[in-house]
Amino acid sequence: MVTVRLYVTLKPSLLDSAGRTVASSLQKLGFAEVENARIGKLIELQVESYDEERVKSMCQQLLANPVIEDYSMEVVGA
C-alpha cells in the first residue's frame, strides 16, 4: 500500500483571502515574523500501487480545479 499526499493550493496570482486573514491574525497575536500565509488542502490517498499519470488524472478530474488551483504530490512509503 502506498500513501500519496496531494497538496492543493490557489494559484499564486489569485487572492487568498483566508491566507491573508491568517497572516493578519498571527501578526496581531504578536507573531510579527509572519509576512504571508497561503491556505490550501491536503488530500491523502491510499493506493495499491503508485501511477503518477493516474494520480494526475484524479487531480485534474476531481481533486483540484486546474483553472484556479495548483497541486503537487508526495509519495510516502513507496
Side-chain angles (χ1 to χ4, degrees), residues 12-56:
S13 61
L14 297 176
L15 174 66
D16 182 352
S17 59
R20 277 189 172 186
T21 299
V22 167
S24 174
S25 297
L26 287 171
Q27 291 167 351
K28 289 176 184 171
L29 289 171
F31 298 100
E33 68 271 27
V34 177
E35 295 181 7
N36 189 23
R38 302 285 297 170
I39 302 296
K41 58 188 170 187
L42 165 67
I43 301 168
E44 193 169 281
L45 301 175
Q46 301 284 321
V47 294
E48 289 183 18
S49 62
Y50 174 67
D51 181 328
E52 183 175 345
E53 291 305 314
R54 289 189 58 81
V55 175
K56 282 183 179 178

